[in-house]
Amino acid sequence: MKVVILGIDGYIGWPLALRLLKEGHDVVGVDSFYTRARVSEVGSGSITPIKDMKDRIKDASKFYGKTIGFYEGDINDPDFVYMFMEREKPDAIVHLAEQRSAPYSMIGLKQARETLIQNMGGTINLVYAMKDIVPKAHLLKLGTMGEYGTPNIDIPEGFFEIEYRGRKDTLPFPKFAGSWYHWSKVHDTNNLMFANRVWGLRITDVMQGVVYGTGTKEIKETESYTRFDIDEVWGTALNRFCVQAVLGMPVTAYGKGEQRRGFLSLEDSISCLMLGLNKPPEIGEYRVYNQFDEHYSINELAAYVKENGEKILGREVEIKHVENPRVEKDQHYYNPEHKKLKELGYKPSGNLRAELEKIIEDVNRFRENAIRFKDAVMPRTYWKESRGLK
Ligand code: USQ
Protein backbone atom coordinates (compact mmCIF):
# COMPACT_ATOMS: atom_id res chain seq x y z
CA MET A 1 0.00 0.00 0.00
CA LYS A 2 1.25 3.51 -0.74
CA VAL A 3 0.62 5.79 2.23
CA VAL A 4 1.10 9.54 2.36
CA ILE A 5 1.65 10.78 5.91
CA LEU A 6 0.83 14.46 6.35
CA GLY A 7 2.79 15.60 9.40
CA ILE A 8 5.50 12.92 9.14
CA ASP A 9 7.91 14.97 11.26
CA GLY A 10 5.63 14.92 14.32
CA TYR A 11 5.35 12.89 17.52
CA ILE A 12 3.07 10.30 15.88
CA GLY A 13 4.02 10.80 12.24
CA TRP A 14 7.61 9.62 12.56
CA PRO A 15 6.98 6.35 14.46
CA LEU A 16 4.07 5.60 12.11
CA ALA A 17 6.42 6.04 9.12
CA LEU A 18 8.91 3.59 10.69
CA ARG A 19 6.17 0.97 11.32
CA LEU A 20 4.79 1.28 7.78
CA LEU A 21 8.26 1.00 6.27
CA LYS A 22 9.07 -2.04 8.39
CA GLU A 23 5.87 -3.71 7.24
CA GLY A 24 6.86 -3.20 3.61
CA HIS A 25 4.61 -0.31 2.60
CA ASP A 26 5.61 2.63 0.41
CA VAL A 27 5.78 5.78 2.52
CA VAL A 28 5.70 9.39 1.38
CA GLY A 29 5.89 12.15 3.98
CA VAL A 30 4.75 15.76 3.91
CA ASP A 31 5.63 18.37 6.52
CA SER A 32 6.15 22.12 6.86
CA PHE A 33 8.17 21.77 10.12
CA TYR A 34 5.50 23.93 11.76
CA THR A 35 5.72 22.16 15.14
CA ARG A 36 9.51 22.51 15.36
CA ALA A 37 9.19 26.26 14.70
CA ARG A 38 6.30 26.91 17.09
CA VAL A 39 7.83 24.90 19.95
CA SER A 40 11.05 26.89 19.73
CA GLU A 41 9.01 30.12 19.86
CA VAL A 42 7.86 29.25 23.38
CA GLY A 43 11.48 28.69 24.45
CA SER A 44 11.31 24.93 24.32
CA GLY A 45 12.18 21.93 22.17
CA SER A 46 12.12 18.17 22.03
CA ILE A 47 14.21 16.67 24.82
CA THR A 48 14.79 13.50 22.80
CA PRO A 49 17.38 14.13 20.07
CA ILE A 50 15.56 14.43 16.74
CA LYS A 51 17.53 14.64 13.53
CA ASP A 52 16.52 16.70 10.52
CA MET A 53 14.29 14.98 7.95
CA LYS A 54 17.11 14.16 5.53
CA ASP A 55 19.01 12.25 8.18
CA ARG A 56 15.89 10.64 9.62
CA ILE A 57 15.08 9.24 6.18
CA LYS A 58 18.68 8.10 5.69
CA ASP A 59 18.69 6.26 9.05
CA ALA A 60 15.33 4.61 8.37
CA SER A 61 16.25 3.42 4.89
CA LYS A 62 19.59 2.05 6.14
CA PHE A 63 17.65 -0.01 8.68
CA TYR A 64 14.65 -1.13 6.66
CA GLY A 65 16.17 -1.14 3.17
CA LYS A 66 13.52 1.15 1.72
CA THR A 67 13.40 4.89 1.36
CA ILE A 68 10.73 7.46 2.22
CA GLY A 69 9.63 10.12 -0.27
CA PHE A 70 9.33 13.61 1.17
CA TYR A 71 7.70 16.94 0.28
CA GLU A 72 8.30 20.05 2.35
CA GLY A 73 5.35 22.42 2.31
CA ASP A 74 2.15 23.69 3.88
CA ILE A 75 -1.06 21.75 3.22
CA ASN A 76 -3.00 24.97 3.69
CA ASP A 77 -1.79 25.76 0.14
CA PRO A 78 -4.19 23.99 -2.28
CA ASP A 79 -1.70 24.02 -5.21
CA PHE A 80 0.84 22.22 -3.06
CA VAL A 81 -1.72 19.57 -2.01
CA TYR A 82 -2.88 18.98 -5.59
CA MET A 83 0.77 18.79 -6.75
CA PHE A 84 1.84 15.95 -4.41
CA MET A 85 -1.49 14.12 -4.70
CA GLU A 86 -1.18 14.12 -8.52
CA ARG A 87 2.38 12.86 -8.36
CA GLU A 88 1.88 10.22 -5.68
CA LYS A 89 -1.71 9.00 -6.14
CA PRO A 90 -1.71 7.26 -2.72
CA ASP A 91 -3.93 4.38 -1.59
CA ALA A 92 -4.22 5.96 1.83
CA ILE A 93 -3.55 9.34 3.40
CA VAL A 94 -2.93 9.74 7.13
CA HIS A 95 -3.67 13.32 8.12
CA LEU A 96 -1.68 14.37 11.20
CA ALA A 97 -0.63 17.78 9.90
CA GLU A 98 -2.59 20.04 12.23
CA GLN A 99 -1.81 22.51 14.98
CA ARG A 100 -2.18 20.07 17.86
CA SER A 101 -1.97 22.12 21.05
CA ALA A 102 -5.00 23.29 23.04
CA PRO A 103 -2.98 25.84 25.08
CA TYR A 104 -1.37 27.25 21.90
CA SER A 105 -4.80 27.95 20.45
CA MET A 106 -5.77 29.80 23.65
CA ILE A 107 -2.78 32.19 23.83
CA GLY A 108 -4.66 34.86 21.89
CA LEU A 109 -6.58 35.87 18.78
CA LYS A 110 -3.57 35.36 16.48
CA GLN A 111 -3.08 31.78 17.64
CA ALA A 112 -6.83 31.04 17.68
CA ARG A 113 -7.20 32.23 14.07
CA GLU A 114 -4.08 30.38 13.02
CA THR A 115 -5.39 27.15 14.56
CA LEU A 116 -8.86 27.37 13.02
CA ILE A 117 -7.72 28.53 9.59
CA GLN A 118 -4.71 26.23 9.36
CA ASN A 119 -6.51 23.09 10.51
CA MET A 120 -9.74 23.54 8.59
CA GLY A 121 -7.88 24.88 5.52
CA GLY A 122 -5.60 21.85 5.27
CA THR A 123 -8.48 19.41 5.62
CA ILE A 124 -10.70 21.09 3.03
CA ASN A 125 -7.81 21.18 0.52
CA LEU A 126 -7.25 17.53 1.11
CA VAL A 127 -10.82 16.34 0.58
CA TYR A 128 -11.07 18.32 -2.68
CA ALA A 129 -7.78 16.85 -3.90
CA MET A 130 -9.00 13.37 -2.96
CA LYS A 131 -12.29 13.81 -4.78
CA ASP A 132 -10.52 15.03 -7.94
CA ILE A 133 -7.49 12.74 -7.97
CA VAL A 134 -7.94 9.62 -5.81
CA PRO A 135 -11.66 9.32 -5.00
CA LYS A 136 -11.28 5.71 -3.79
CA ALA A 137 -8.34 6.35 -1.46
CA HIS A 138 -8.76 6.02 2.30
CA LEU A 139 -8.34 9.10 4.49
CA LEU A 140 -7.39 8.34 8.08
CA LYS A 141 -7.67 11.63 9.93
CA LEU A 142 -6.66 12.36 13.50
CA GLY A 143 -9.46 13.91 15.51
CA THR A 144 -9.57 13.99 19.29
CA MET A 145 -11.58 12.58 22.21
CA GLY A 146 -11.75 16.21 23.31
CA GLU A 147 -14.31 16.86 20.56
CA TYR A 148 -16.96 15.30 22.78
CA GLY A 149 -16.07 17.25 25.92
CA THR A 150 -17.28 15.77 29.19
CA PRO A 151 -21.08 15.33 28.99
CA ASN A 152 -23.01 13.83 31.88
CA ILE A 153 -23.98 10.80 29.77
CA ASP A 154 -22.06 7.95 28.07
CA ILE A 155 -20.10 8.90 24.94
CA PRO A 156 -20.63 6.60 21.92
CA GLU A 157 -18.26 6.21 18.96
CA GLY A 158 -19.33 9.11 16.78
CA PHE A 159 -23.05 8.43 16.43
CA PHE A 160 -25.96 7.61 18.73
CA GLU A 161 -29.56 6.64 18.41
CA ILE A 162 -31.92 9.28 19.76
CA GLU A 163 -35.65 9.46 20.28
CA TYR A 164 -37.12 12.98 20.33
CA ARG A 165 -40.82 13.81 20.45
CA GLY A 166 -41.76 10.30 19.47
CA ARG A 167 -39.41 9.98 16.47
CA LYS A 168 -36.06 8.15 16.26
CA ASP A 169 -32.87 8.78 14.31
CA THR A 170 -29.15 7.95 14.37
CA LEU A 171 -27.28 11.23 14.57
CA PRO A 172 -23.77 12.55 15.24
CA PHE A 173 -23.22 12.74 19.00
CA PRO A 174 -23.21 16.40 20.13
CA LYS A 175 -19.79 17.98 20.48
CA PHE A 176 -18.72 20.21 23.36
CA ALA A 177 -15.02 20.98 22.95
CA GLY A 178 -12.84 22.84 25.47
CA SER A 179 -10.41 24.94 23.39
CA TRP A 180 -10.21 26.52 19.92
CA TYR A 181 -7.92 23.64 19.03
CA HIS A 182 -10.50 21.03 20.03
CA TRP A 183 -13.23 23.00 18.20
CA SER A 184 -11.08 23.04 15.04
CA LYS A 185 -11.21 19.24 15.15
CA VAL A 186 -15.02 19.33 15.57
CA HIS A 187 -15.30 21.58 12.51
CA ASP A 188 -13.05 19.16 10.58
CA THR A 189 -15.28 16.28 11.62
CA ASN A 190 -18.37 18.07 10.31
CA ASN A 191 -16.58 18.84 7.05
CA LEU A 192 -15.43 15.23 6.67
CA MET A 193 -18.95 13.89 7.24
CA PHE A 194 -20.19 16.24 4.55
CA ALA A 195 -17.39 15.30 2.10
CA ASN A 196 -18.35 11.68 2.66
CA ARG A 197 -22.03 12.41 2.10
CA VAL A 198 -21.64 14.38 -1.13
CA TRP A 199 -18.71 12.58 -2.77
CA GLY A 200 -18.67 9.20 -1.02
CA LEU A 201 -15.07 9.56 0.20
CA ARG A 202 -13.97 6.72 2.48
CA ILE A 203 -12.87 8.19 5.76
CA THR A 204 -11.79 7.05 9.21
CA ASP A 205 -12.09 9.83 11.80
CA VAL A 206 -10.03 8.85 14.84
CA MET A 207 -11.09 10.33 18.17
CA GLN A 208 -7.79 9.84 19.94
CA GLY A 209 -7.10 10.34 23.65
CA VAL A 210 -3.90 11.74 25.16
CA VAL A 211 -0.85 9.83 23.92
CA TYR A 212 2.14 9.23 26.21
CA GLY A 213 5.56 7.64 25.91
CA THR A 214 8.97 8.00 24.32
CA GLY A 215 9.13 4.93 22.18
CA THR A 216 7.83 2.18 19.97
CA LYS A 217 9.46 -1.10 18.90
CA GLU A 218 10.85 0.59 15.79
CA ILE A 219 12.22 3.60 17.66
CA LYS A 220 14.00 1.18 19.96
CA GLU A 221 15.55 -0.84 17.16
CA THR A 222 16.52 2.11 14.94
CA GLU A 223 17.31 4.58 17.75
CA SER A 224 15.63 7.13 15.54
CA TYR A 225 13.72 9.08 18.17
CA THR A 226 10.47 10.91 17.88
CA ARG A 227 10.02 14.30 19.52
CA PHE A 228 9.10 14.55 23.19
CA ASP A 229 7.73 17.89 24.37
CA ILE A 230 7.70 19.00 27.97
CA ASP A 231 6.58 22.63 28.05
CA GLU A 232 3.16 23.87 29.16
CA VAL A 233 2.02 24.60 25.59
CA TRP A 234 3.24 21.56 23.63
CA GLY A 235 3.81 18.89 26.29
CA THR A 236 0.86 16.75 27.44
CA ALA A 237 -0.15 15.65 30.93
CA LEU A 238 1.60 12.35 31.64
CA ASN A 239 4.79 13.15 29.69
CA ARG A 240 5.06 16.48 31.51
CA PHE A 241 4.49 14.82 34.90
CA CYS A 242 7.44 12.48 34.28
CA VAL A 243 9.66 15.42 33.38
CA GLN A 244 8.55 17.37 36.46
CA ALA A 245 9.42 14.34 38.63
CA VAL A 246 12.88 14.00 37.04
CA LEU A 247 13.64 17.72 37.35
CA GLY A 248 12.58 17.80 41.02
CA MET A 249 9.68 20.13 40.17
CA PRO A 250 6.18 19.59 41.57
CA VAL A 251 3.84 17.49 39.44
CA THR A 252 1.17 20.02 38.42
CA ALA A 253 -2.34 18.59 38.77
CA TYR A 254 -4.60 21.37 37.49
CA GLY A 255 -7.48 22.30 39.78
CA LYS A 256 -9.00 19.46 41.79
CA GLY A 257 -7.33 16.94 39.47
CA GLU A 258 -10.50 14.89 39.10
CA GLN A 259 -10.81 15.57 35.36
CA ARG A 260 -10.68 12.28 33.46
CA ARG A 261 -9.27 11.65 30.01
CA GLY A 262 -8.69 8.60 27.82
CA PHE A 263 -4.97 7.76 27.48
CA LEU A 264 -2.93 5.41 25.34
CA SER A 265 0.74 4.71 24.78
CA LEU A 266 2.59 5.81 21.66
CA GLU A 267 3.12 2.12 20.81
CA ASP A 268 -0.63 1.49 20.98
CA SER A 269 -1.46 4.64 19.05
CA ILE A 270 0.71 3.42 16.17
CA SER A 271 -0.78 -0.09 16.35
CA CYS A 272 -4.31 1.32 16.22
CA LEU A 273 -3.52 3.56 13.25
CA MET A 274 -2.03 0.53 11.47
CA LEU A 275 -5.20 -1.45 12.17
CA GLY A 276 -7.25 1.36 10.71
CA LEU A 277 -5.05 1.37 7.58
CA ASN A 278 -4.94 -2.39 7.15
CA LYS A 279 -8.69 -2.72 7.65
CA PRO A 280 -10.05 0.31 5.81
CA PRO A 281 -13.72 1.30 5.63
CA GLU A 282 -15.79 0.32 2.64
CA ILE A 283 -15.85 2.65 -0.35
CA GLY A 284 -18.26 5.43 0.61
CA GLU A 285 -18.11 4.71 4.37
CA TYR A 286 -17.40 7.28 7.09
CA ARG A 287 -16.42 5.62 10.35
CA VAL A 288 -15.39 6.89 13.76
CA TYR A 289 -13.18 5.23 16.39
CA ASN A 290 -12.67 6.30 19.96
CA GLN A 291 -8.97 5.52 20.27
CA PHE A 292 -7.68 5.12 23.81
CA ASP A 293 -6.75 2.31 26.14
CA GLU A 294 -8.08 3.33 29.57
CA HIS A 295 -9.36 6.49 31.15
CA TYR A 296 -7.69 7.94 34.24
CA SER A 297 -8.14 10.98 36.42
CA ILE A 298 -5.27 13.45 36.61
CA ASN A 299 -4.93 12.61 40.32
CA GLU A 300 -4.50 8.91 39.49
CA LEU A 301 -1.79 9.72 36.94
CA ALA A 302 0.00 12.06 39.32
CA ALA A 303 -0.05 9.35 42.01
CA TYR A 304 1.40 6.75 39.59
CA VAL A 305 4.18 9.15 38.60
CA LYS A 306 4.94 9.87 42.25
CA GLU A 307 5.08 6.17 43.14
CA ASN A 308 7.22 5.11 40.16
CA GLY A 309 9.33 8.27 40.20
CA GLU A 310 10.25 7.83 43.86
CA LYS A 311 11.19 4.19 43.23
CA ILE A 312 13.39 4.98 40.22
CA LEU A 313 14.83 8.34 41.26
CA GLY A 314 15.23 7.55 44.94
CA ARG A 315 13.80 10.84 46.18
CA GLU A 316 10.49 12.45 46.98
CA VAL A 317 8.18 13.53 44.16
CA GLU A 318 5.74 16.27 45.17
CA ILE A 319 2.23 16.62 43.72
CA LYS A 320 0.92 20.19 43.66
CA HIS A 321 -2.64 21.24 42.86
CA VAL A 322 -2.16 24.51 41.01
CA GLU A 323 -4.88 26.92 39.83
CA ASN A 324 -6.38 25.41 36.69
CA PRO A 325 -5.27 27.61 33.75
CA ARG A 326 -8.08 26.09 31.64
CA VAL A 327 -11.81 26.48 31.75
CA GLU A 328 -12.90 22.87 32.21
CA LYS A 329 -14.82 20.72 34.68
CA ASP A 330 -12.35 19.18 37.08
CA GLN A 331 -14.97 16.79 38.49
CA HIS A 332 -17.31 15.07 36.06
CA TYR A 333 -18.85 11.83 34.77
CA TYR A 334 -16.84 10.13 32.02
CA ASN A 335 -17.75 6.93 30.26
CA PRO A 336 -16.72 6.87 26.59
CA GLU A 337 -17.22 3.70 24.57
CA HIS A 338 -14.25 2.13 22.77
CA LYS A 339 -15.27 -1.16 21.23
CA LYS A 340 -14.64 -0.77 17.53
CA LEU A 341 -10.84 -1.00 17.55
CA LYS A 342 -11.00 -4.00 19.87
CA GLU A 343 -13.41 -5.63 17.40
CA LEU A 344 -10.79 -5.05 14.68
CA GLY A 345 -8.19 -6.79 16.84
CA TYR A 346 -6.59 -4.09 19.01
CA LYS A 347 -4.89 -5.52 22.08
CA PRO A 348 -3.15 -3.05 24.40
CA SER A 349 0.62 -3.68 24.39
CA GLY A 350 1.22 -3.27 28.08
CA ASN A 351 0.10 -1.23 31.01
CA LEU A 352 0.53 2.39 31.90
CA ARG A 353 2.59 1.72 35.01
CA ALA A 354 5.20 -0.34 33.10
CA GLU A 355 5.40 2.30 30.38
CA LEU A 356 5.83 4.99 33.03
CA GLU A 357 9.07 3.42 34.20
CA LYS A 358 10.43 3.54 30.65
CA ILE A 359 9.43 7.19 30.21
CA ILE A 360 11.02 8.23 33.48
CA GLU A 361 14.24 6.37 32.60
CA ASP A 362 14.35 7.96 29.14
CA VAL A 363 13.64 11.44 30.48
CA ASN A 364 16.38 10.89 33.05
CA ARG A 365 18.77 9.97 30.22
CA PHE A 366 17.95 13.24 28.39
CA ARG A 367 17.82 15.24 31.59
CA GLU A 368 20.34 17.84 30.39
CA ASN A 369 17.97 18.77 27.55
CA ALA A 370 15.04 18.94 29.95
CA ILE A 371 17.02 21.31 32.18
CA ARG A 372 17.57 23.65 29.19
CA PHE A 373 13.79 24.06 28.79
CA LYS A 374 12.94 24.07 32.52
CA ASP A 375 11.55 27.63 32.43
CA ALA A 376 8.85 26.64 29.93
CA VAL A 377 7.38 23.83 32.04
CA MET A 378 5.09 25.57 34.56
CA PRO A 379 1.66 26.78 33.32
CA ARG A 380 1.34 30.34 32.05
CA THR A 381 -1.39 30.14 29.38
CA TYR A 382 -4.72 30.98 31.03
CA TRP A 383 -7.91 30.42 28.99
CA LYS A 384 -9.64 33.41 30.61
CA GLU A 385 -6.77 35.74 29.72
CA SER A 386 -6.54 34.81 26.03
CA ARG A 387 -5.31 38.03 24.32
CA GLY A 388 -7.48 39.85 21.78
CA LEU A 389 -6.36 43.05 20.03
CA LYS A 390 -6.31 45.01 23.26
N1 USQ B 1 -3.32 18.78 32.91
C1 USQ B 1 -2.93 18.90 34.22
N2 USQ B 1 -1.64 19.28 34.45
C2 USQ B 1 -0.74 19.56 33.46
C3 USQ B 1 -1.18 19.43 32.13
C4 USQ B 1 -2.46 19.04 31.88
O1 USQ B 1 -3.70 18.66 35.16
O2 USQ B 1 0.39 19.92 33.77
C5 USQ B 1 -4.70 18.34 32.62
C6 USQ B 1 -5.50 19.35 31.78
O3 USQ B 1 -6.12 20.29 32.59
C7 USQ B 1 -6.47 18.44 31.06
C8 USQ B 1 -5.74 17.12 30.94
O4 USQ B 1 -4.63 17.19 31.82
O5 USQ B 1 -7.63 18.26 31.82
C9 USQ B 1 -5.21 16.81 29.55
O6 USQ B 1 -4.39 17.89 29.14
P1 USQ B 1 -3.20 17.66 28.10
O7 USQ B 1 -2.40 18.90 28.01
O8 USQ B 1 -2.48 16.40 28.40
O9 USQ B 1 -4.02 17.33 26.78
P2 USQ B 1 -4.95 18.22 25.86
O10 USQ B 1 -4.70 19.66 25.99
O11 USQ B 1 -6.35 17.76 26.07
O12 USQ B 1 -4.49 17.82 24.40
C10 USQ B 1 -3.72 16.63 24.11
C11 USQ B 1 -3.03 16.81 22.79
C12 USQ B 1 -4.06 16.97 21.69
C13 USQ B 1 -5.00 15.78 21.71
C14 USQ B 1 -5.64 15.63 23.09
C15 USQ B 1 -6.46 14.38 23.25
O13 USQ B 1 -2.19 17.96 22.82
O14 USQ B 1 -3.41 17.07 20.44
O15 USQ B 1 -6.01 15.96 20.77
O16 USQ B 1 -4.58 15.52 24.08
S1 USQ B 1 -7.81 14.64 24.35
O17 USQ B 1 -7.31 15.21 25.59
O18 USQ B 1 -8.44 13.36 24.58
O19 USQ B 1 -8.72 15.58 23.70
Side-chain angles (χ1 to χ4, degrees):
M1 165 167 57
K2 184 187 230 185
V3 184
V4 164
I5 304 178
L6 309 177
I8 193 174
D9 192 49
Y11 180 53
I12 290 170
W14 184 243
L16 178 65
L18 293 178
R19 176 77 48 95
L20 281 163
L21 213 59
K22 182 180 177 174
E23 296 196 0
H25 300 287
D26 293 324
V27 181
V28 175
V30 176
D31 211 293
S32 64
F33 304 118
Y34 172 91
T35 304
R36 290 191 191 223
R38 289 290 179 266
V39 176
S40 73
E41 273 174 22
V42 299
S44 190
S46 170
I47 65 160
T48 45
I50 50 170
K51 296 188 176 169
D52 65 25
M53 190 46 70
K54 224 172 65 219
D55 289 332
R56 281 183 143 182
I57 291 174
K58 228 190 274 166
D59 288 354
S61 55
K62 226 189 284 162
F63 209 87
Y64 296 120
K66 223 172 160 180
T67 197
I68 297 175
F70 181 69
Y71 294 83
E72 179 175 350
D74 181 356
I75 62 157
N76 205 18
D77 170 2
D79 293 323
F80 174 64
V81 175
Y82 270 70
M83 180 274 290
F84 70 73
M85 291 286 277
E86 279 287 2
R87 280 202 205 160
E88 301 297 339
K89 299 201 172 58
D91 303 302
I93 302 114
V94 182
H95 181 13
L96 310 166
E98 295 205 325
Q99 192 300 87
R100 58 147 162 99
S101 160
Y104 181 79
S105 74
M106 297 304 298
I107 293 174
L109 176 58
K110 174 178 168 287
Q111 293 79 2
R113 283 176 50 81
E114 183 180 305
T115 303
L116 290 164
I117 293 165
Q118 194 70 26
N119 289 0
M120 288 163 66
T123 300
I124 199 74
N125 290 340
L126 187 60
V127 290
Y128 265 88
M130 282 181 69
K131 165 186 90 76
D132 287 346
I133 303 163
V134 281
K136 293 195 173 134
H138 171 205
L139 169 61
L140 193 143
K141 156 79 168 56
L142 203 66
T144 171
M145 281 301 292
E147 292 185 34
Y148 301 115
T150 53
N152 200 28
I153 53 175
D154 292 357
I155 298 172
E157 297 193 83
F159 293 85
F160 74 147
E161 212 180 83
I162 180 152
E163 188 174 336
Y164 181 63
R165 295 186 176 164
R167 297 183 68 80
K168 275 191 192 163
D169 204 350
T170 299
L171 294 174
F173 190 73
K175 304 287 159 50
F176 210 59
S179 71
W180 295 122
Y181 154 73
H182 288 98
W183 279 112
S184 76
K185 295 279 190 180
V186 175
H187 304 321
D188 277 343
T189 286
N190 289 333
N191 295 345
L192 292 179
M193 280 192 291
F194 185 64
N196 164 266
R197 188 143 55 89
V198 281
W199 304 318
L201 297 186
R202 46 152 75 160
I203 297 171
T204 304
D205 205 352
V206 179
M207 303 297 136
Q208 182 164 255
V210 187
V211 182
Y212 58 85
T214 43
T216 59
K217 286 182 229 116
E218 293 74 26
I219 289 177
K220 204 164 170 208
E221 65 194 20
T222 57
E223 289 189 4
S224 182
Y225 288 98
T226 193
R227 57 177 313 114
F228 188 89
D229 293 295
I230 67 168
D231 59 87
E232 60 108 26
V233 175
W234 298 95
T236 50
L238 191 63
N239 288 354
R240 280 163 49 66
F241 291 173
C242 293
V243 171
Q244 288 166 332
V246 168
L247 294 183
M249 297 169 98
V251 168
T252 51
Y254 292 167
K256 293 196 182 76
E258 286 301 327
Q259 58 276 50
R260 295 190 85 82
R261 296 289 182 272
F263 284 81
L264 86 165
S265 67
L266 185 58
E267 171 69 35
D268 284 349
S269 167
I270 302 305
S271 301
C272 288
L273 296 175
M274 289 299 296
L275 265 179
L277 286 170
N278 285 326
K279 299 184 178 173
E282 302 296 322
I283 303 245
E285 184 187 349
Y286 167 82
R287 70 179 178 188
V288 180
Y289 295 150
N290 291 348
Q291 181 163 304
F292 63 95
D293 175 14
E294 285 299 332
H295 53 84
Y296 300 92
S297 75
I298 291 299
N299 285 339
E300 284 167 348
L301 293 182
Y304 295 154
V305 171
K306 179 176 167 68
E307 187 190 318
N308 286 280
E310 289 180 347
K311 204 168 69 192
I312 297 167
L313 305 164
R315 58 176 159 68
E316 202 200 333
V317 172
E318 183 199 350
I319 297 172
K320 193 168 173 189
H321 287 267
V322 298
E323 179 195 348
N324 196 337
R326 305 181 179 207
V327 176
E328 64 181 359
K329 290 186 208 147
D330 50 14
Q331 267 181 325
H332 57 86
Y333 179 78
Y334 200 57
N335 190 26
E337 231 175 58
H338 56 142
K339 288 191 200 138
K340 288 198 205 160
L341 277 161
K342 286 185 181 153
E343 281 162 13
L344 283 190
Y346 164 52
K347 287 193 186 65
S349 62
N351 65 54
L352 183 129
R353 284 164 179 252
E355 189 64 29
L356 256 184
E357 282 188 25
K358 276 193 245 155
I359 307 175
I360 294 172
E361 278 160 9
D362 266 342
V363 171
N364 213 9
R365 197 140 54 96
F366 299 117
R367 184 191 159 83
E368 290 307 311
N369 293 340
I371 291 170
R372 272 174 57 210
F373 306 127
K374 200 171 189 248
D375 291 346
V377 173
M378 293 304 273
R380 57 186 177 202
T381 304
Y382 291 86
W383 270 215
K384 287 211 163 129
E385 288 163 22
S386 190
R387 279 193 312 266
L389 284 185
K390 291 186 181 165

